[in-house]
Amino acid sequence: MANHRTSRRDFLKLSAAVPAALALGASDARAQAVLLAPTPSCPDPSAPTPRQTAGPFYKPASPRRGSFLEPGMKGTPIVLTGTVLSTACKPVTGALVDFWQADDAGVYDNAGYRLRGHQFTDDQGRYRLETIVPGHYPGRTRHFHVNVQAPTRPVLTTQLYFPADPANQRDVIFRSDLLIKMTDAPGARSGTFDFVLDLTNSRRSPRRS
Ligand code: FE
């Protein structure tokens, strides 16, 4: 009997909680839908992102940050997002993503860390950077430089490019498979690029940050 009463009491408590639980469930489902929306398509999961030269302007020990924007900074703001994936199309959590770039006039900050910074991918392998569109400089089309590194794995150094830039065709190292997919809305530039890392490589190297 005691058990029965306890069970009944618990049942009543549960019943009272059900509407709240249902409401929470619905909002969780909505939140989940929002979180799952950017699931990568993995059109060619067997192809790792190509490597490219770091060039002469890389600096180690960049600050950890998701935005390079500063008051008074000239240029066109852009939000770059994406996912770091393995060649098996699994998101890589805690991957280092370290960007550096020229400013609107095509100039790198070699004295400080303006337009340089690193972050780590979230539990779904995602990164997000707020910055400006990099300018051209002699011999180069617009590009971001980036190091991407899964925990304890080798660094992938590469560059990302902008579609429909006439200077792409004059840049000898431009690659169309490193083009950002632009997802602009009116008045706000945005783009996405998913990095694919070959994690079957057994070489290990210390983390750069
Ligand atoms: Fe460069």
Side-chain angles (χ1 to χ4, degrees):
M1 279 302 281
N3 279 348
H4 174 74
R5 278 198 303 272
T6 304
S7 297
R8 179 170 166 76
R9 205 158 49 230
D10 287 346
F11 174 76
L12 288 172
K13 270 192 227 161
L14 271 174
S15 301
V18 161
L22 280 177
L24 265 179
S27 99
D28 280 355
R30 276 196 298 276
Q32 197 75 354
V34 169
L35 287 174
L36 292 177
T39 296
S41 56
C42 285
D44 189 0
S46 62
T49 301
R51 296 180 176 280
Q52 291 215 295
T53 174
F57 302 119
Y58 171 71
K59 279 181 69 173
S62 70
R64 183 176 178 174
R65 56 184 172 184
S67 176
F68 296 168
L69 299 179
E70 296 172 13
M73 183 175 269
K74 290 186 177 148
T76 304
I78 182 170
V79 178
L80 181 67
T81 57
T83 303
V84 177
L85 301 161
S86 68
T87 47
C89 205
K90 301 283 187 226
V92 181
T93 298
L96 171 74
V97 186
D98 187 5
F99 286 100
W100 70 105
Q101 65 169 100
D103 66 13
D104 185 53
V107 175
Y108 287 86
D109 179 8
N110 297 312
Y113 286 92
R114 193 168 50 96
L115 296 168
R116 299 171 184 271
H118 73 273
Q119 57 184 286
F120 297 94
T121 54
D122 68 11
D123 59 3
Q124 294 182 59
R126 298 174 304 190
Y127 70 91
R128 182 180 195 276
L129 177 66
E130 293 180 12
T131 185
I132 57 160
V133 175
H136 297 98
Y137 58 91
R140 295 307 318 275
T141 189
R142 295 182 202 282
H143 60 281
F144 291 115
H145 292 271
V146 60
N147 284 332
V148 186
Q149 183 181 26
T152 74
R153 297 303 181 119
V155 175
L156 169 78
T157 300
T158 193
Q159 303 185 29
L160 303 182
Y161 298 96
F162 290 77
D165 188 324
N168 288 345
Q169 304 315 316
R170 299 192 293 271
D171 186 321
V172 293
I173 71 162
F174 166 78
R175 289 184 62 134
S176 60
D177 50 2
L178 292 171
L179 281 170
I180 298 164
K181 183 182 176 192
M182 298 308 296
T183 54
D184 294 347
R189 298 216 75 186
S190 61
T192 185
F193 189 90
D194 295 336
F195 297 98
V196 180
L197 303 180
D198 181 5
L199 301 183
T200 59
N201 186 332
S202 59
R203 276 193 306 130
R204 297 166 81 87
S205 66
R207 163 149 257 159
R208 284 161 101 171
S209 62

PDB file of all heavy atoms in Angstrom, residues 31 36 84 87 124 130 134 154 164 173 204 208:
ATOM      1  N   ALA A  31      14.928  24.521 -30.713  1.00  0.00           N
ATOM      2  CA  ALA A  31      16.346  24.849 -30.559  1.00  0.00           C
ATOM      3  C   ALA A  31      17.191  23.855 -31.348  1.00  0.00           C
ATOM      4  O   ALA A  31      18.143  24.221 -32.021  1.00  0.00           O
ATOM      5  CB  ALA A  31      16.741  24.819 -29.083  1.00  0.00           C
ATOM      6  N   LEU A  36      20.655  22.140 -35.783  1.00  0.00           N
ATOM      7  CA  LEU A  36      20.952  21.131 -36.798  1.00  0.00           C
ATOM      8  C   LEU A  36      20.927  21.704 -38.209  1.00  0.00           C
ATOM      9  O   LEU A  36      21.388  21.063 -39.126  1.00  0.00           O
ATOM     10  CB  LEU A  36      19.954  19.977 -36.687  1.00  0.00           C
ATOM     11  CG  LEU A  36      20.095  19.134 -35.419  1.00  0.00           C
ATOM     12  CD1 LEU A  36      19.032  18.064 -35.367  1.00  0.00           C
ATOM     13  CD2 LEU A  36      21.485  18.509 -35.324  1.00  0.00           C
ATOM     14  N   VAL A  84      34.467  22.030 -39.180  1.00  0.00           N
ATOM     15  CA  VAL A  84      35.654  21.221 -39.427  1.00  0.00           C
ATOM     16  C   VAL A  84      35.223  19.756 -39.363  1.00  0.00           C
ATOM     17  O   VAL A  84      34.617  19.324 -38.378  1.00  0.00           O
ATOM     18  CB  VAL A  84      36.774  21.519 -38.411  1.00  0.00           C
ATOM     19  CG1 VAL A  84      37.976  20.608 -38.664  1.00  0.00           C
ATOM     20  CG2 VAL A  84      37.195  22.979 -38.487  1.00  0.00           C
ATOM     21  N   THR A  87      37.516  13.204 -42.913  1.00  0.00           N
ATOM     22  CA  THR A  87      37.207  12.682 -44.247  1.00  0.00           C
ATOM     23  C   THR A  87      36.033  11.696 -44.184  1.00  0.00           C
ATOM     24  O   THR A  87      35.424  11.399 -45.213  1.00  0.00           O
ATOM     25  CB  THR A  87      38.423  11.979 -44.877  1.00  0.00           C
ATOM     26  OG1 THR A  87      38.987  11.101 -43.909  1.00  0.00           O
ATOM     27  CG2 THR A  87      39.459  12.988 -45.333  1.00  0.00           C
ATOM     28  N   GLN A 124      29.860  20.688 -32.177  1.00  0.00           N
ATOM     29  CA  GLN A 124      29.407  20.196 -33.491  1.00  0.00           C
ATOM     30  C   GLN A 124      30.414  20.542 -34.583  1.00  0.00           C
ATOM     31  O   GLN A 124      30.088  20.526 -35.773  1.00  0.00           O
ATOM     32  CB  GLN A 124      28.027  20.764 -33.828  1.00  0.00           C
ATOM     33  CG  GLN A 124      26.963  20.235 -32.862  1.00  0.00           C
ATOM     34  CD  GLN A 124      25.577  20.744 -33.198  1.00  0.00           C
ATOM     35  OE1 GLN A 124      25.074  20.518 -34.294  1.00  0.00           O
ATOM     36  NE2 GLN A 124      24.966  21.429 -32.266  1.00  0.00           N
ATOM     37  N   GLU A 130      33.738  36.842 -37.303  1.00  0.00           N
ATOM     38  CA  GLU A 130      33.289  38.147 -37.794  1.00  0.00           C
ATOM     39  C   GLU A 130      34.523  38.945 -38.156  1.00  0.00           C
ATOM     40  O   GLU A 130      35.414  39.128 -37.325  1.00  0.00           O
ATOM     41  CB  GLU A 130      32.522  38.898 -36.693  1.00  0.00           C
ATOM     42  CG  GLU A 130      31.210  38.254 -36.320  1.00  0.00           C
ATOM     43  CD  GLU A 130      30.502  39.039 -35.226  1.00  0.00           C
ATOM     44  OE1 GLU A 130      30.924  40.175 -34.938  1.00  0.00           O
ATOM     45  OE2 GLU A 130      29.547  38.505 -34.668  1.00  0.00           O
ATOM     46  N   PRO A 134      39.031  40.814 -46.920  1.00  0.00           N
ATOM     47  CA  PRO A 134      40.422  41.252 -47.110  1.00  0.00           C
ATOM     48  C   PRO A 134      40.611  41.953 -48.447  1.00  0.00           C
ATOM     49  O   PRO A 134      39.933  41.620 -49.427  1.00  0.00           O
ATOM     50  CB  PRO A 134      41.224  39.938 -47.050  1.00  0.00           C
ATOM     51  CG  PRO A 134      40.241  38.847 -47.299  1.00  0.00           C
ATOM     52  CD  PRO A 134      38.874  39.356 -46.931  1.00  0.00           C
ATOM     53  N   PRO A 154      48.383  16.978 -37.085  1.00  0.00           N
ATOM     54  CA  PRO A 154      49.156  17.979 -37.830  1.00  0.00           C
ATOM     55  C   PRO A 154      48.298  19.175 -38.251  1.00  0.00           C
ATOM     56  O   PRO A 154      47.083  19.059 -38.399  1.00  0.00           O
ATOM     57  CB  PRO A 154      49.635  17.205 -39.070  1.00  0.00           C
ATOM     58  CG  PRO A 154      49.475  15.769 -38.732  1.00  0.00           C
ATOM     59  CD  PRO A 154      48.334  15.680 -37.763  1.00  0.00           C
ATOM     60  N   ALA A 164      33.826  35.014 -57.949  1.00  0.00           N
ATOM     61  CA  ALA A 164      33.530  36.115 -58.866  1.00  0.00           C
ATOM     62  C   ALA A 164      34.465  37.302 -58.708  1.00  0.00           C
ATOM     63  O   ALA A 164      34.107  38.429 -59.052  1.00  0.00           O
ATOM     64  CB  ALA A 164      32.068  36.577 -58.707  1.00  0.00           C
ATOM     65  N   ILE A 173      48.257  31.005 -57.505  1.00  0.00           N
ATOM     66  CA  ILE A 173      47.980  29.917 -56.561  1.00  0.00           C
ATOM     67  C   ILE A 173      46.487  29.782 -56.224  1.00  0.00           C
ATOM     68  O   ILE A 173      46.104  28.920 -55.434  1.00  0.00           O
ATOM     69  CB  ILE A 173      48.825  30.007 -55.270  1.00  0.00           C
ATOM     70  CG1 ILE A 173      48.384  31.159 -54.369  1.00  0.00           C
ATOM     71  CG2 ILE A 173      50.309  30.096 -55.599  1.00  0.00           C
ATOM     72  CD1 ILE A 173      48.896  30.986 -52.936  1.00  0.00           C
ATOM     73  N   ARG A 204      51.558  12.838 -35.218  1.00  0.00           N
ATOM     74  CA  ARG A 204      51.029  13.729 -34.194  1.00  0.00           C
ATOM     75  C   ARG A 204      51.971  14.913 -34.067  1.00  0.00           C
ATOM     76  O   ARG A 204      53.155  14.805 -34.314  1.00  0.00           O
ATOM     77  CB  ARG A 204      50.946  13.008 -32.838  1.00  0.00           C
ATOM     78  CG  ARG A 204      50.002  11.843 -32.864  1.00  0.00           C
ATOM     79  CD  ARG A 204      50.202  10.984 -31.652  1.00  0.00           C
ATOM     80  NE  ARG A 204      49.526  11.535 -30.486  1.00  0.00           N
ATOM     81  CZ  ARG A 204      48.260  11.290 -30.185  1.00  0.00           C
ATOM     82  NH1 ARG A 204      47.541  10.533 -30.950  1.00  0.00           N
ATOM     83  NH2 ARG A 204      47.710  11.788 -29.104  1.00  0.00           N
ATOM     84  N   ARG A 208      49.414  24.105 -31.926  1.00  0.00           N
ATOM     85  CA  ARG A 208      49.815  25.508 -32.073  1.00  0.00           C
ATOM     86  C   ARG A 208      48.664  26.348 -31.598  1.00  0.00           C
ATOM     87  O   ARG A 208      47.511  26.009 -31.803  1.00  0.00           O
ATOM     88  CB  ARG A 208      50.071  25.833 -33.542  1.00  0.00           C
ATOM     89  CG  ARG A 208      51.375  25.284 -34.048  1.00  0.00           C
ATOM     90  CD  ARG A 208      51.326  25.227 -35.535  1.00  0.00           C
ATOM     91  NE  ARG A 208      52.049  26.358 -36.129  1.00  0.00           N
ATOM     92  CZ  ARG A 208      52.299  26.427 -37.430  1.00  0.00           C
ATOM     93  NH1 ARG A 208      51.890  25.509 -38.252  1.00  0.00           N
ATOM     94  NH2 ARG A 208      52.932  27.463 -37.910  1.00  0.00           N
TER      95      ARG A 208
END
